[in-house]
């Protein structure tokens, strides 16, 4: 099948499914678009970028803290086995 026609076919199948079985479409409940709208409602683009940057920084800092805690535990075990 042609790559150009593939998205059209998916849209057609979605439309047919929507018209024939609406209950199956509605039972998905709170899909990604709804979650995205709920999470970012009322935010400007710059606010979303800042939020993304802060989340990345937070993940990096959490990783650093976890590594430090692991090093402390290893040092405690080494210290306990020396005596």
């Amino acid at each position: 099948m042609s790559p150009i026609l593939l998205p059209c076919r998916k849209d057609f199948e979605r439309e047919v499914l929507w018209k024939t079985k609406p209950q199956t479409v509605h039972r998905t409940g709170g899909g990604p678009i709804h979650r995205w709208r709920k999470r970012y409602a009322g935010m400007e683009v710059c606010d979303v970028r800042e939020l993304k940057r802060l989340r990345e920084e937070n993940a990096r800092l959490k990783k650093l803290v976890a590594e430090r805690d692991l090093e402390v535990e290893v040092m405690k075990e080494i210290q306990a086995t020396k005596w």
Side-chain angles (χ1 to χ4, degrees):
M1 180 165 280
S2 165
I4 296 173
L5 295 178
L6 190 60
C8 296
R9 180 183 170 119
K10 287 181 182 179
D11 290 340
F12 175 75
E13 290 172 352
R14 190 178 300 125
E15 183 177 335
V16 169
L17 179 67
W18 179 263
K19 288 181 181 177
T20 58
K21 298 181 183 179
Q23 68 276 10
T24 58
V25 174
H26 290 290
R27 286 192 295 155
T28 59
I33 292 174
H34 298 292
R35 278 181 279 163
W36 182 85
R37 283 183 184 162
K38 184 178 178 182
R39 185 177 295 155
Y40 301 113
M43 295 179 79
E44 298 292 325
V45 173
C46 60
D47 295 334
V48 173
R49 286 184 183 143
E50 179 70 12
L51 180 63
K52 182 179 178 183
R53 188 189 63 77
L54 289 172
R55 285 184 178 168
E56 289 172 354
E57 182 180 0
N58 192 25
R60 185 181 61 82
L61 292 173
K62 283 182 179 182
K63 184 178 176 182
L64 288 173
V65 169
E67 289 174 356
R68 184 192 57 85
D69 289 345
L70 182 62
E71 289 175 4
V72 168
E73 288 296 319
V74 169
M75 295 304 289
K76 284 181 182 179
E77 288 181 16
I78 291 172
Q79 194 68 15
T81 57
K82 282 187 175 180
W83 300 100

